[in-house]
Amino acid sequence: MGGSAPFAADLMNGATAAELTFQLPDPEDDGISQGEFDRQVEAAWQVCDRFDLQTDIWRGRILRVVRDREKHQNNGEGTGHGFLRWLKEREIGKSHAYNLIELADSADELVQGGLLEEEDVNQFSKRAFVETAQSPREVQQMVSDAAHKGDRITRREVRQLADEWTAMTSDLLPETVREKAANNTIPTRYIAPLVREMEKLPEPHQEQLRDEVEASPDVDTIKQATAEARFLAKYINAASQVQALDREGLDLEQALEEALRVGCLSATADLVNQASQLEQMIARLFTTWKRIHSLSERVYLDSGASTPQLRSLLAHLEPLSGEILELQLGEPGSNLSQLIRLKILPDES
């Protein structure tokens, strides 16, 4: 997106960066009421927030220009080394740079798409603007209309509108729940999280939860269904990553059904998730141990009688570099003290 319509460089009704100064209230002034103190501080904070947003949008545009220049010079086949070098010289992380470019793209899309006027951007806090850019088109329109009327847009307002839209339009919810959301019989703050969790699930589980909610469309059922959907997603995601479960004779779906039937879904999901994390830790442990073992051998070969302290260091590290790993938990001699031993066995294959 190269030829975007520029925002006005003066961010706060003609204020420049050099003029961005405030007369903040004296924190030790007992003559100012707490309400007035809060008002003055909040007003200054909002100006900084808007300035920060505009600055980051322009930073994103600058970064985009630098990136696209390199692409152009290399006929669209550049490796990006020049852009990365430019970032490194300015101590800008790659992920942060692309976040700024995404913010600039979002700003240009909202303005060029006719949803926002240039001056309306000043109504947003930075986080609210990012939230708006990530919202559905209908939510963007509602937020933009509010900003155009002069309303101050915070992240809370954007999320509230997004929750309302989700609760009243999602096909994952039964019609009775959507109607209750529309007339505010059930607050949307309970319904939207359920939809977000259900979106992570396969269709059969979505239908099961939908039937549960339809049978009893109230807040308690929705909260219970949300928790159940969260645990289901956790179980399904973790189970696919656990190597120990990738064997014949185990029906993961049936195990899930049994956990639901006996009421231990939460514990089962946590068990599978912990197993996934343990397998990853074992892999990292083995890789790190091999590295320590190799480095210890190299240092041993490079050292000798003339380096007694270096040899002493190797001896002290023996509990971590040998085939049996040892670690003392807690203070030695205390009731909570425990010596942990792990043995690395050779690969028989």
Side-chain angles (χ1 to χ4, degrees), residues 162-349:
D163 285 352
E164 291 174 359
W165 175 258
T166 298
M168 290 185 285
T169 61
S170 176
D171 292 336
L172 295 176
L173 298 171
E175 182 63 30
T176 51
V177 173
R178 293 203 296 269
E179 291 175 356
K180 288 178 179 289
N183 60 32
N184 206 31
T185 305
I186 299 179
T188 56
R189 68 177 182 274
Y190 295 113
I191 301 174
L194 172 60
V195 175
R196 286 193 290 267
E197 294 299 332
M198 288 178 67
E199 288 173 343
K200 304 174 186 177
L201 298 174
E203 188 173 339
H205 293 295
Q206 290 177 345
E207 293 177 355
Q208 178 183 349
L209 289 170
R210 189 178 186 277
D211 292 342
E212 290 179 13
V213 173
E214 188 171 24
S216 182
D218 54 47
V219 171
D220 288 340
T221 302
I222 288 175
K223 290 167 69 174
Q224 181 179 342
T226 302
E228 189 173 312
R230 186 178 298 114
F231 290 130
L232 281 168
K234 192 176 181 181
Y235 175 92
I236 294 170
N237 180 62
S240 64
Q241 300 175 21
V242 179
Q243 192 178 108
L245 299 180
D246 189 18
R247 298 176 183 175
E248 293 183 1
L250 173 62
D251 189 329
L252 285 171
E253 189 66 26
Q254 187 60 39
L256 176 60
E257 293 295 330
E258 291 173 357
L260 283 166
R261 177 168 55 81
V262 300
C264 64
L265 174 60
S266 172
T268 304
D270 197 30
L271 169 64
V272 175
N273 186 54
Q274 292 295 324
S276 173
Q277 294 183 37
L278 180 58
E279 282 192 344
Q280 294 173 34
M281 285 190 286
I282 291 173
R284 288 196 296 269
L285 169 66
F286 181 69
T287 302
T288 305
W289 172 79
K290 284 189 67 176
R291 180 66 174 160
I292 290 177
H293 186 74
S294 174
L295 290 171
S296 296
E297 289 185 339
R298 183 190 305 175
V299 172
Y300 182 84
L301 293 174
D302 291 344
S303 61
S306 63
T307 57
Q309 294 304 318
L310 192 54
R311 284 296 180 91
S312 178
L313 181 146
L314 291 174
H316 280 76
L317 290 178
E318 176 65 24
L320 297 176
S321 60
E323 289 188 359
I324 297 180
L325 308 183
E326 293 185 0
L327 178 64
Q328 182 75 45
L329 296 182
E331 290 293 329
S334 70
N335 293 332
L336 299 177
S337 176
Q338 187 174 6
L339 181 64
I340 305 297
R341 289 190 177 93
L342 301 174
K343 185 172 183 180
I344 305 293
L345 298 175
D347 186 357
E348 296 297 338
S349 62

Side-chain angles (χ1 to χ4, degrees), residues 78-203:
T79 60
H81 290 161
F83 178 57
L84 295 178
R85 184 169 58 252
W86 195 91
L87 296 179
K88 186 176 182 180
E89 289 172 354
R90 289 155 183 81
E91 298 182 345
I92 303 172
K94 183 179 177 182
S95 60
H96 181 53
Y98 278 99
N99 286 338
L100 292 174
I101 291 175
E102 184 180 10
L103 177 64
D105 289 343
S106 298
D108 293 343
E109 182 179 344
L110 290 173
V111 172
Q112 291 182 350
L115 287 174
L116 279 179
E117 298 293 335
E118 295 173 8
E119 59 272 17
D120 292 342
V121 177
N122 283 335
Q123 301 303 119
F124 289 80
S125 70
K126 180 181 175 181
R127 296 173 72 184
F129 190 84
V130 173
E131 194 83 25
T132 301
Q134 296 173 346
S135 298
R137 181 78 174 185
E138 294 80 4
V139 175
Q140 291 179 350
Q141 184 65 64
M142 290 187 287
V143 174
S144 300
D145 291 345
H148 190 62
K149 290 189 297 183
D151 294 347
R152 172 70 180 154
I153 308 298
T154 66
R155 191 184 187 191
R156 180 179 179 180
E157 278 81 26
V158 178
R159 285 200 163 185
Q160 182 176 344
L161 285 171
D163 285 352
E164 291 174 359
W165 175 258
T166 298
M168 290 185 285
T169 61
S170 176
D171 292 336
L172 295 176
L173 298 171
E175 182 63 30
T176 51
V177 173
R178 293 203 296 269
E179 291 175 356
K180 288 178 179 289
N183 60 32
N184 206 31
T185 305
I186 299 179
T188 56
R189 68 177 182 274
Y190 295 113
I191 301 174
L194 172 60
V195 175
R196 286 193 290 267
E197 294 299 332
M198 288 178 67
E199 288 173 343
K200 304 174 186 177
L201 298 174
E203 188 173 339

